[in-house]
Amino acid sequence: MYGKGILKGLSVTWKRFWDTYTEDISWMVRGKKRYNTVEGVAHRSSKNTKGIFTVQYPEEQLIQPEEFRYVPFLVYDEGEEGRKEVRCTSCGICAKVCPPQCIWIVRTNDPSTGRPVPVPTDFYIDMDICMNCGFCAEYCPFDAIKMDHDFDIASYERNVYNLNKLLKPASYYNSIRPENAAREDEARRAKEAAKAAKAEAKTATA
Amino acid sequence: MATPLTATVDLIAKFPDSVTADTRPGYGGFIVKKENLVEVATAIRDEFGYDLLTAATGVDYLAENKMEMVYHAYKTTGGAGLIFRVQADRVDPVEIPSLVGVWAGVDFQEREAYDLLGIRFTNHPDLRRILMWEGYEGYPLRKDWKEPFFEEETKPFKSRWPDGQHTFAENKNPFRDNLSFPEGFDPEAYKPENEDDLYASLERFRSKGEDDRLKTDHIVVNMGPHHPSTHGVLRVAVTLDGETITGLKPVMGYLHRNHDKIGERNTYLQIIPYTDRLDYFNSMSNNFGYVTTVEKLMNIPVAERAEYIRVIMAELSRIQNHLIFIGMLMNDLGTMYTPSLYAFEERELVLDIFEAVSGARMMCNYFRFGGVVRDIPDFAIQKIKDLVHERLPAKTDEMERFLNENEILVARLKGIRVLNAEDAIRYSVTGPVLRAAGVPYDLRRADPYSIYDRFDFDVAVRHNGDMMDNYLIRFDEIRQSLRILEQALKQIPEGPINSQKPQYQVRVPAGEAYGRIESPKGELAFYVVSNGKPNPYRYHVRPASFVNLQAVESMCIGTKIADFVALLAMFDIVMGELDR
Ligand code: SF4
Ligand code: SF4
C-alpha cells in the first residue's frame, strides 16, 4: 500500500509524543519531580530516558562531571589570618605549554640578590584567547593552576584576568574536583614524608 | 614508517634514469625527476596498481633551496603505500607537472599547493587560488612568509615568561610590516575581478548550441556561502540550463585559518587541541589520526588499555556522526528538524560520555602520545555499556523504522546516481561514499592501524552507488561500530593508560611520517616532517571532506538543481575540516 512507510514512520513520532507525556505523568503519580531536580536531570541523561528529554537551561543544568573543564584558575591555600599562600612558583611551564600562548607571567626577582623568588608578581590569562584545552592544569608540577567549572563568564569587556581575579581558595578546588584533589593531596603528602625521612636520615648520619 | 614494499626494486629497475631512492635518514620512497613525473606516475598507476592517490603535499625546504611535492599512492585492494616525490629548485616560478591527467583526485590538492606554496602545476586545467582569496599576495606556507601579528618562528614565545606583561596582539600595528597588499591596493575600491576566472571555469561545460534545440540562456546561480544546506560557509557556483546543472564549481576558504601554518609554529603537543577544531563533530578521531602519526615518527608503543579506550572513543564518535548525517540529510531533503533532532538526542548521550572522560563535549583534547590523558571513570564505562548494549541498537532500529520505508524518501533517494566505483577511485574519494559504490576499502581493514586487526567486524559495502545506498550504508556502519564496541568493552584490560611519562616537550627524531585513519567521513591523514626540533618542520592535514569534494563537480553535471543539495550532503562535509 502506498503510504504505509509514511504511516510506519509516523508511529515513531506518535510514540515519542506519547512517551513524553506519560513520562511526565508517571513521575507526577509517583510524587517525584521530573524537572528542576538533580534526580530528574540525571534520569534524563541516562539510557532510560524516554520521549523528549530537553534540559531546560538555564532553569536547570546538566550535571557537570568532575572532569568538566572551562577556563583555568589559580589555587591558593588558606594560611593563618586569611593569608593567601599562592601555590604557583612562576616556573613558567604553563606559559610554555599553552597552545594559543594566552598566559603571561611576571616572575618576581629578589631586589637585593636579583635572583628569582618562587611567587609570581603578576599572572595574566587572556580568557578570550584561551581554548580551554586544560594543558596548563595537566602539566603544572605544583597543582597550582586548575580548570574551573564556572562557565558563565560572558561580559561586555575583554576578559583578561589578572592574578587577583584568578586566585581561588583550595577549598573551592576541593569542592569542584573532590577526587582529583584527594589524589593530589595524597601524592603531595607522600612526597613531603619522603623528603622529611630523607632529611632525618641525613641528620642521623651526620 | 610506511616505506614501500616490493615495488622498490621494480620502479628503479624500470626507470633507471629518472627514479632514485630517497636516502635521507627517516625518509622513504623515491625521488622522481621532474621531467618524467607524468610517465612514472602513469606506470605506478597502471603497471604497479596503485590506483588511489590519497595525498599530494608540498613542502618548502628553504635551507636546501628546494620545493618538494610528496605523493602517497595506495592500492584499493589494501596494503602499504608507495611514496614518491618530485623536487624543484626554489626559484620563481617553481614549476612541477600536474598529475590531474593521471589521478583526477590531485586537482584540489595541487591547487592548494599552488595557493599556499606557490608551486605552479603545468597543464593543470584550473589552477586558481583555492583557500585564500583571489587578490591575495604571497604564499603563506613558505618558510619565509610571516603572518600578521607575527611574533616568533615557533612557540613558546619569549614575551610570555619570565617578564610577561600582557599586551593585545592587535595593538601592534597590523598594517606596518607583516601584512602585504598588492601595489596600489585600496580595500574600499576592491572589486574581485578574478570572479571572472571562476565563471570562466564554468564555461567549458556550456552547451555550444550545435544542436537544433531551442536556444536558451544559461544562468549562473551562486549557492552560498550563506545557504542553509551547504553545511557551513561553502559557496557553489552553478550554471543552469532550466533546472539542469551544466557547470558547477565549489568555492571555499571562508573558514580558512591556515591550520598547517599554525601547526608548524606549535610544538608537537600543542597541535592536539587544534586538531579538535578540524572536523568538530569528531574531535576524538582527529586526535587519533594526529597522535598515531607522531607516534610513528617517535617510534613509541601505546599502552594496551589506552588502545582500547581510543577505539571505544573513535567508534562512539563514528556512531554519533552517522546519526547526525542521517538527520542532516533529512534536513536537506526538506524533512525539517524532526529526524535531525532525534539524532541529536542520541548524540547528546554520547557527548555526556566524552565530557565525563575528557572534560569537554566537543573539543575533547583527549589523546596523548603513547596513550590518553586519563582513565575512563567507572560510571562512564557503565554509561558506555548501557548505550552500546541497549540504547543505541534500539535507537538505530527505531531510526530505520522511522525513515527507511517512507515513500517520499525512497522516491528522492533511490536510483539517483552518486558515483560509480571507477569515478570514486579516480577522484580519490574515500569513506562511506566509496564503499557505497561497491569498493570495500576501509582503512581499519585495508591498512590496519591501532588494534583494529583484533576485532571481528565486516566492512560495510553496498553496490548500487545511488543515494539510497549512500544513506543505508551509514546504518550498516553504525551496526559494525556497535559490534566493535561490544568486543572492545569485553576485552579491555586493566593497566596504565600511557606508555610514556607525562611530558610537555616530546622529542621527535628527524624524518617524515604519514599516518592515516578511517574517520567517519573518509580517510583522515596527517603528514608530518620533523627535523628534530620541538616543532614540526612541516605539518599537513589531508582532510576527507576536502578531497572528497572534488568529485562533486563531475557527479552533479546533468542532474537537477533540487538533487544537488542532497548529493552534496552525501559527502558529509564539515567546513572546519574542509577549509582548515
Ligand atoms: S601555575 Fe604551575 S606551571 Fe604555571 S607558573 Fe605557576 S607553578 Fe608553574
Ligand atoms: S586551558 Fe589551554 S589555552 Fe587555556 S590557559 Fe590553559 S593551556 Fe592556555
Side-chain angles (χ1 to χ4, degrees):
Chain A
M1 186 191 78
Y2 195 79
K4 205 172 114 209
I6 295 180
L7 288 176
K8 199 169 162 187
L10 281 176
S11 73
V12 173
T13 353
W14 167 251
K15 185 161 177 296
R16 177 81 48 130
F17 177 79
W18 177 256
D19 281 346
T20 304
Y21 286 96
T22 48
E23 272 290 283
D24 279 359
I25 293 166
S26 89
W27 278 68
M28 219 149 42
V29 171
R30 281 183 287 143
K32 291 205 209 157
K33 281 181 79 182
R34 190 172 188 232
Y35 295 95
N36 299 319
T37 56
V38 174
E39 191 195 0
V41 174
H43 181 264
R44 266 176 290 148
S45 34
S46 75
K47 66 168 166 99
N48 296 322
T49 181
K50 277 198 286 185
I52 290 169
F53 55 90
T54 316
V55 172
Q56 309 286 341
Y57 184 86
E59 283 79 19
E60 48 179 17
Q61 288 183 5
L62 276 179
I63 301 157
Q64 291 168 346
E66 169 154 352
E67 294 302 340
F68 173 72
R69 58 182 145 85
Y70 194 55
V71 292
F73 67 96
L74 290 173
V75 186
Y76 69 84
D77 291 308
E78 290 127 302
E80 288 138 37
E81 294 151 26
R83 231 184 25 243
K84 292 181 181 175
E85 289 169 4
V86 181
R87 285 185 187 175
C88 174
T89 62
S90 67
C91 70
I93 287 180
C94 55
K96 283 179 208 152
V97 78
C98 174
Q101 294 286 290
C102 65
I103 303 183
W104 308 68
I105 304 169
V106 185
R107 191 172 60 189
T108 316
N109 287 328
D110 189 321
S112 53
T113 60
R115 300 258 291 281
V117 271
V119 274
T121 300
D122 218 334
F123 200 112
Y124 304 96
I125 300 183
D126 194 332
M127 295 305 184
D128 301 328
I129 292 176
C130 171
M131 70 201 293
N132 319 339
C133 68
F135 275 159
C136 47
E138 204 178 315
Y139 291 100
C140 171
F142 300 96
D143 299 322
I145 187 164
K146 292 291 167 193
M147 300 303 283
D148 208 341
H149 276 190
D150 176 21
F151 54 85
D152 281 329
I153 65 163
S155 76
Y156 288 104
E157 277 88 48
R158 298 285 292 263
N159 297 298
V160 183
Y161 287 15
N162 61 11
L163 183 60
N164 225 351
K165 192 148 184 206
L166 283 168
L167 280 175
K168 291 193 177 179
S171 55
Y172 171 75
Y173 173 56
N174 296 353
S175 73
I176 61 167
R177 291 180 197 268
E179 281 175 31
N180 279 293
R183 199 166 47 235
E184 285 155 11
D185 286 346
E186 185 66 33
R188 245 198 331 272
R189 261 199 299 279
K191 216 166 157 187
E192 263 158 38
K195 217 164 135 193
K198 215 171 161 191
E200 211 164 277
K202 217 172 172 186
T203 44
T205 51
Chain B
M1 214 153 302
T3 19
L5 316 162
T6 42
T8 318
V9 196
D10 294 340
L11 199 60
I12 296 180
K14 191 162 167 54
F15 300 101
D17 302 329
S18 43
V19 177
T20 47
D22 193 338
T23 49
R24 290 173 290 179
Y27 286 73
F30 307 102
I31 302 179
V32 181
K33 266 202 197 133
K34 205 164 85 171
E35 298 73 37
N36 308 81
L37 179 65
V38 177
E39 183 196 349
V40 175
T42 315
I44 288 173
R45 184 192 64 184
D46 296 340
E47 285 165 44
F48 297 100
Y50 289 87
D51 48 355
L52 183 74
L53 189 94
T54 62
T57 319
V59 189
D60 176 14
Y61 288 102
L62 183 63
E64 288 93 46
N65 208 21
K66 287 238 185 306
M67 286 270 187
E68 184 176 288
M69 278 301 286
V70 191
Y71 302 90
H72 290 87
Y74 286 86
K75 292 179 177 173
T76 44
T77 46
L82 180 88
I83 306 169
F84 61 101
R85 60 189 92 228
V86 54
Q87 294 180 332
D89 289 335
R90 203 175 176 283
V91 280
D92 280 317
V94 183
E95 280 190 343
I96 287 177
S98 168
L99 286 185
V100 174
V102 188
W103 287 283
V106 294
D107 180 356
F108 281 9
Q109 301 190 62
E110 286 188 344
R111 277 178 67 188
E112 183 191 333
Y114 163 68
D115 187 1
L116 303 179
L117 282 159
I119 302 174
R120 294 197 154 271
F121 293 90
T122 41
N123 293 330
H124 189 289
D126 186 23
L127 197 65
R128 289 177 292 119
R129 285 197 178 268
I130 186 165
L131 293 169
M132 306 302 292
W133 47 291
E134 313 82 22
Y136 191 81
E137 207 182 27
Y139 303 107
L141 269 186
R142 288 196 174 182
K143 285 288 168 188
D144 48 8
W145 186 90
K146 297 194 169 41
E147 66 272 31
F149 311 130
F150 171 79
E151 226 183 300
E152 273 173 58
E153 280 296 332
T154 54
K155 293 174 189 171
F157 298 146
K158 295 190 185 59
S159 65
R160 303 300 196 269
W161 179 86
D163 188 22
Q165 297 293 348
H166 179 267
T167 46
F168 289 114
E170 67 269 25
N171 290 350
K172 299 181 220 150
N173 188 340
F175 290 105
R176 204 160 287 159
D177 36 26
N178 45 23
L179 197 63
S180 83
F181 287 100
E183 194 122 355
F185 180 80
D186 175 8
E188 298 292 319
Y190 173 69
K191 213 179 132 282
E193 80 269 9
N194 295 40
E195 287 289 274
D196 297 342
D197 289 352
L198 165 67
Y199 298 128
S201 76
L202 293 168
E203 202 64 11
R204 61 187 160 124
F205 299 103
R206 183 170 281 198
S207 71
K208 300 290 181 300
E210 285 131 6
D211 49 16
D212 50 3
R213 283 185 309 169
L214 189 65
K215 303 259 180 323
T216 51
D217 257 358
H218 291 200
I219 51 166
V220 176
V221 177
N222 273 294
M223 301 188 59
H226 298 288
H227 187 278
S229 67
T230 50
H231 301 249
V233 280
L234 176 71
R235 171 177 156 212
V236 181
V238 268
T239 39
L240 293 177
D241 178 8
E243 276 196 49
T244 310
I245 298 177
T246 60
L248 177 146
K249 276 280 170 192
V251 184
M252 61 205 92
Y254 295 92
L255 212 59
H256 182 59
R257 54 207 183 267
N258 214 334
H259 183 86
D260 289 12
K261 189 82 177 183
I262 297 174
E264 285 162 22
R265 299 254 187 265
N266 282 350
T267 64
Y268 285 93
L269 184 76
Q270 285 171 339
I271 295 177
I272 302 175
Y274 280 96
T275 63
D276 290 340
R277 279 115 179 125
L278 285 168
D279 171 2
Y280 39 77
F281 272 93
N282 298 291
S283 61
M284 290 287 191
S285 308
N286 302 341
N287 283 186
F288 203 167
Y290 173 65
V291 296
T292 5
T293 313
V294 178
E295 278 157 6
K296 259 188 193 174
L297 208 49
M298 291 168 74
N299 209 358
I300 53 168
V302 181
E304 192 62 12
R305 185 174 169 83
E307 289 273 30
Y308 281 90
I309 297 179
R310 286 177 175 192
V311 167
I312 291 171
M313 293 305 152
E315 294 309 316
L316 280 174
S317 184
R318 190 184 315 275
I319 292 172
Q320 60 83 18
N321 179 78
H322 283 350
L323 283 171
I324 297 295
F325 165 85
I326 293 158
M328 285 303 161
L329 173 66
M330 295 307 130
N331 266 9
D332 289 344
L333 292 174
T335 324
M336 272 322 201
Y337 293 114
T338 307
S340 71
L341 287 178
Y342 283 15
F344 266 102
E345 284 185 344
E346 303 319 307
R347 172 178 147 87
E348 281 306 301
L349 298 179
V350 173
L351 293 195
D352 282 343
I353 293 166
F354 289 175
E355 190 179 23
V357 298
S358 77
R361 298 177 83 80
M362 285 177 80
M363 303 298 143
C364 297
N365 186 18
Y366 183 54
F367 290 39
R368 296 290 176 272
F369 307 124
V372 292
V373 190
R374 64 180 73 78
D375 211 340
I376 313 185
D378 291 338
F379 78 92
I381 285 267
Q382 189 51 47
K383 247 183 148 160
I384 298 171
K385 284 186 176 153
D386 289 346
L387 285 191
V388 170
H389 295 314
E390 297 173 41
R391 185 159 175 118
L392 288 174
K395 285 290 164 180
T396 315
D397 292 345
E398 186 189 84
M399 203 66 152
E400 288 211 281
R401 208 162 55 241
F402 183 31
L403 300 168
N404 282 11
E405 287 169 40
N406 185 310
E407 283 79 3
I408 305 171
L409 184 89
V410 174
R412 285 294 308 269
L413 298 183
K414 204 159 195 146
I416 310 243
R417 188 184 77 98
V418 177
L419 275 175
N420 57 29
E422 204 178 304
D423 281 345
I425 295 171
R426 210 158 57 82
Y427 282 107
S428 305
V429 171
T430 47
V433 182
L434 178 64
R435 291 191 286 273
V439 184
Y441 188 70
D442 184 324
L443 296 182
R444 293 172 293 175
R445 274 274 180 269
D447 190 6
Y449 54 95
S450 186
I451 50 164
Y452 278 105
D453 46 3
R454 294 186 200 168
F455 300 115
D456 182 23
F457 69 97
D458 302 318
V459 174
V461 61
R462 292 201 173 238
H463 297 281
N464 295 327
D466 64 349
M467 292 225 268
M468 196 66 190
D469 272 6
N470 271 281
Y471 160 77
L472 289 174
I473 201 164
R474 277 19 194 237
F475 285 107
D476 302 345
E477 294 203 351
I478 292 175
R479 296 238 157 72
Q480 297 303 333
S481 290
L482 286 169
R483 262 176 86 185
I484 297 175
L485 278 167
E486 273 173 23
Q487 296 167 46
L489 284 168
K490 209 178 289 160
Q491 295 169 12
I492 183 168
E494 291 297 324
I497 41 103
N498 201 324
S499 64
Q500 312 291 306
K501 283 212 184 72
Q503 273 173 308
Y504 72 92
Q505 283 280 14
V506 290
R507 235 193 62 71
V508 181
E512 62 165 4
Y514 182 72
R516 49 203 309 244
I517 65 150
E518 185 70 36
S519 90
K521 298 180 158 83
E523 171 173 339
L524 170 71
F526 291 83
Y527 176 71
V528 178
V529 177
S530 164
N531 55 0
K533 300 234 173 75
N535 309 68
Y537 182 77
R538 178 77 172 96
Y539 162 79
H540 175 74
V541 192
R542 181 253 188 232
S545 302
F546 179 71
V547 179
N548 286 357
L549 193 69
Q550 296 176 107
V552 81
E553 180 177 342
S554 82
M555 86 192 203
C556 287
I557 288 176
T559 59
K560 298 275 183 258
I561 183 85
D563 285 334
F564 162 71
V565 172
L567 280 169
L568 182 68
M570 291 304 160
F571 287 118
D572 198 5
I573 55 168
V574 149
M575 296 316 283
E577 171 183 88
L578 208 158
D579 281 345
R580 286 156 292 146

